[in-house]
Amino acid sequence: MEPVLKAQHVRKVYGSKGNVYTALVNINLEINEGEFVGIMGPSGAGKSTLLNVLSTIDRPTSGEIKISGKDLETMNEQEMSLFRRDRLGFIFQDYNLLDTLSVRENIILPLALAKRPVTEIDAAIDKIADTFSIRSILDKYPNEISGGQKQRTAASRAIITNPNLIFADEPTGALDSKSAADLLESLRDLNETNNATIMMVTHDAFAASFCKRILFITDGEIYTEIYRGTKTRKEFFQKILDILAKLGGDMNDVI
């Protein structure tokens, strides 16, 4: 079976001539259907750059990226925009909700833009409301709900189109510990129950311990990877901390 995401020899260079910064050196990775993959590394290691390049937000300087067999380099801007809307889901740290739309309207926006039938939209929102425990806030607006509820709304919007791949960029970064745990448990359940494929960038070892596999990058290169396997989440958490310590990560950031 072809991987959901395949990246080969991906490089990203910023600047020109004498002022060049290489953010990604030679990235090779695959993510298969149903995986929950975490990306970790010290500050400045290239985590967010990698997510941006893999998720079509930015383009690599060189290398090849395929998502569900589709070569991203062959798409023009319009094709890329439609592909991003229909096939990918995004969860950002700052939610990216529209304040003038209700929670319900924010969530169904991708389906509305795609002109899906009303019956399909209603069925999708009904299912998602239970998955993320947001049924009681569907008619409220972003300024009327908590940070945790905003992030669950953003996560609902990300999965409403049943995307091939969900990208999460520091999704718990702005949340308190309980809201973060609630969101991570929902993502884990989504992965295990719906076989959703998720790639999450995080600096937080607690968040990463919900993943099935973690890729550690440093200086723009993949340093190592670990699998949770049969480990408990607590055991996996400790393994993550051990590797972050080797990488010289700021332990105040990850405990």
Side-chain angles (χ1 to χ4, degrees):
M1 182 182 293
E2 187 165 15
V4 173
L5 184 148
K6 184 174 184 178
Q8 293 180 292
H9 309 299
V10 170
R11 294 179 74 247
K12 182 63 181 179
V13 178
Y14 294 102
S16 59
K17 297 182 180 178
N19 189 25
V20 172
Y21 171 66
T22 303
L24 300 175
V25 179
N26 182 36
I27 299 291
N28 295 283
L29 66 87
E30 293 185 2
I31 296 178
N32 295 309
E33 184 178 353
E35 284 202 281
F36 189 173
V37 178
I39 306 291
M40 300 196 78
S43 179
K47 301 187 295 295
S48 290
T49 301
L50 178 60
L51 181 137
N52 288 343
V53 166
L54 295 178
S55 66
T56 76
I57 292 173
D58 199 359
R59 289 186 179 268
T61 303
S62 61
E64 181 181 79
I65 301 169
K66 289 184 177 182
I67 297 179
S68 297
K70 183 76 172 178
D71 187 346
L72 302 187
E73 193 60 35
T74 65
M75 287 188 270
N76 61 34
E77 286 303 320
Q78 183 179 6
E79 290 171 332
M80 185 78 80
S81 179
L82 292 173
F83 183 84
R84 192 181 294 126
R85 184 193 73 191
D86 297 337
R87 308 289 287 277
L88 306 178
F90 297 89
I91 308 172
F92 299 102
Q93 182 175 335
D94 57 0
Y95 320 128
N96 283 7
L97 300 177
L98 296 175
D99 292 335
T100 56
L101 299 182
S102 68
V103 167
R104 182 192 307 273
E105 290 165 339
N106 266 285
I107 293 170
I108 67 172
L109 186 59
L111 295 182
L113 290 172
K115 296 182 171 60
R116 300 286 182 84
V118 172
T119 52
E120 180 184 334
I121 292 176
D122 288 344
I125 192 79
D126 195 53
K127 181 179 179 182
I128 261 175
D130 291 331
T131 300
F132 284 99
S133 303
I134 54 170
R135 188 174 293 280
S136 64
I137 62 166
L138 285 176
D139 295 319
K140 293 186 176 182
Y141 286 81
N143 66 347
E144 299 175 318
I145 60 178
S146 69
Q149 290 171 328
K150 287 178 182 177
Q151 194 57 293
R152 293 206 298 278
T153 299
S156 299
R157 181 187 56 195
I159 70 167
I160 193 85
T161 58
N162 193 27
N164 297 84
L165 183 57
I166 299 166
F167 291 99
D169 189 5
E170 300 280 6
T172 61
L175 302 180
D176 61 69
S177 57
K178 184 184 184 307
S179 295
D182 288 345
L183 176 70
L184 291 163
E185 286 167 5
S186 294
L187 290 177
R188 180 193 60 201
D189 292 346
L190 188 69
N191 168 252
E192 293 179 352
T193 305
N194 292 23
N195 206 37
T197 308
I198 305 170
M199 174 182 158
M200 177 174 71
V201 166
T202 182
H203 71 275
D204 178 29
F206 174 76
S209 68
F210 283 79
C211 299
K212 293 178 178 176
R213 174 165 65 117
I214 310 242
L215 294 168
F216 294 87
I217 70 172
T218 182
D219 298 324
E221 296 184 271
I222 295 176
Y223 169 75
T224 190
E225 66 177 337
I226 58 173
Y227 289 81
R228 179 173 171 179
T230 58
K231 295 183 183 70
T232 65
R233 198 172 59 74
K234 187 175 181 179
E235 290 169 339
F236 197 40
F237 174 77
Q238 188 56 55
K239 179 68 174 174
I240 294 165
L241 290 181
D242 291 344
I243 293 179
L244 288 172
K246 288 181 183 177
L247 286 173
D250 184 356
M251 298 310 290
N252 292 323
D253 278 350
V254 296
I255 294 178

